Amino acid sequence: MAAASTKRTAAMGGAKAAPSAEKKQTDRFYVQKSKHRLFQQLAARETGPLEHMKDVFLLAAAVGFRKGLRRRIDEERQHVGFWHYFSETRDVPLLQCIAIAETRDVAVMGDRNAIVEIAQEYANGGIDLLADMLHE
């Protein structure tokens, strides 16, 4: 039986394929479910100040970062968008800058998962302050 396995492995090009060490890049971003309504209100086309949910997310992340309000999403989360919603020339550089400032390491630019996680946590911290600022 071992000989058959060895022949099969040799026929497939030698050694067995090792599991991929690379993590899959996330293509989604989330907010804390209990705060999702705030994001929706700020992105409401008729009444909200911003047109798209991704714009609210970006602004909340920037405000959260500026005020040092990084908060883990400890409860259920709600999907609000995809990575491809972000402009590669305007939005992604902002998220990368926040991640670089947070980690103090430019290598984070190549780690979309880390960038998204950091942005989600700052957006989670910044959304309450943003909602208060916009409703004053």
Side-chain angles (χ1 to χ4, degrees), residues 24-31 36 52-58 77-88 91-92 95 112-113 115-117 119-120:
K24 184 176 187 244
Q25 294 278 354
T26 187
D27 66 338
R28 297 172 183 246
F29 56 99
Y30 298 87
V31 298
H36 184 251
H52 302 287
M53 187 78 78
K54 67 114 177 155
D55 297 323
V56 178
F57 179 87
L58 288 166
R77 57 190 193 153
Q78 175 70 44
H79 171 249
V80 293
F82 293 95
W83 180 262
H84 69 266
Y85 290 178
F86 295 127
S87 163
E88 289 291 327
D91 303 335
V92 172
L95 297 175
R112 186 189 307 170
N113 295 341
I115 293 168
V116 169
E117 179 181 341
Q120 288 175 159

Side-chain angles (χ1 to χ4, degrees), residues 87-117:
S87 163
E88 289 291 327
T89 59
R90 291 185 313 266
D91 303 335
V92 172
L94 172 65
L95 297 175
Q96 289 173 327
C97 286
I98 291 171
I100 290 168
E102 180 65 19
T103 63
R104 301 197 185 285
D105 185 359
V106 296
V108 76
M109 289 178 63
D111 186 350
R112 186 189 307 170
N113 295 341
I115 293 168
V116 169
E117 179 181 341

Side-chain angles (χ1 to χ4, degrees), residues 35-45 53 56:
K35 297 181 181 186
H36 184 251
R37 185 109 173 103
L38 292 172
F39 283 88
Q40 287 179 315
Q41 290 171 343
L42 295 174
R45 291 194 189 270
M53 187 78 78
V56 178

Side-chain angles (χ1 to χ4, degrees), residues 10-76:
M12 293 172 43
K16 291 183 183 178
S20 176
E22 290 184 34
K23 263 181 21 180
K24 184 176 187 244
Q25 294 278 354
T26 187
D27 66 338
R28 297 172 183 246
F29 56 99
Y30 298 87
V31 298
Q32 190 166 297
K33 190 167 186 165
S34 64
K35 297 181 181 186
H36 184 251
R37 185 109 173 103
L38 292 172
F39 283 88
Q40 287 179 315
Q41 290 171 343
L42 295 174
R45 291 194 189 270
E46 286 83 33
T47 60
L50 299 167
E51 189 173 347
H52 302 287
M53 187 78 78
K54 67 114 177 155
D55 297 323
V56 178
F57 179 87
L58 288 166
L59 186 56
V63 167
F65 174 75
R66 176 71 174 104
K67 296 296 184 176
L69 300 172
R70 186 173 179 185
R71 306 286 184 262
R72 289 182 51 109
I73 300 176
D74 288 329
E75 55 187 65
E76 194 172 351

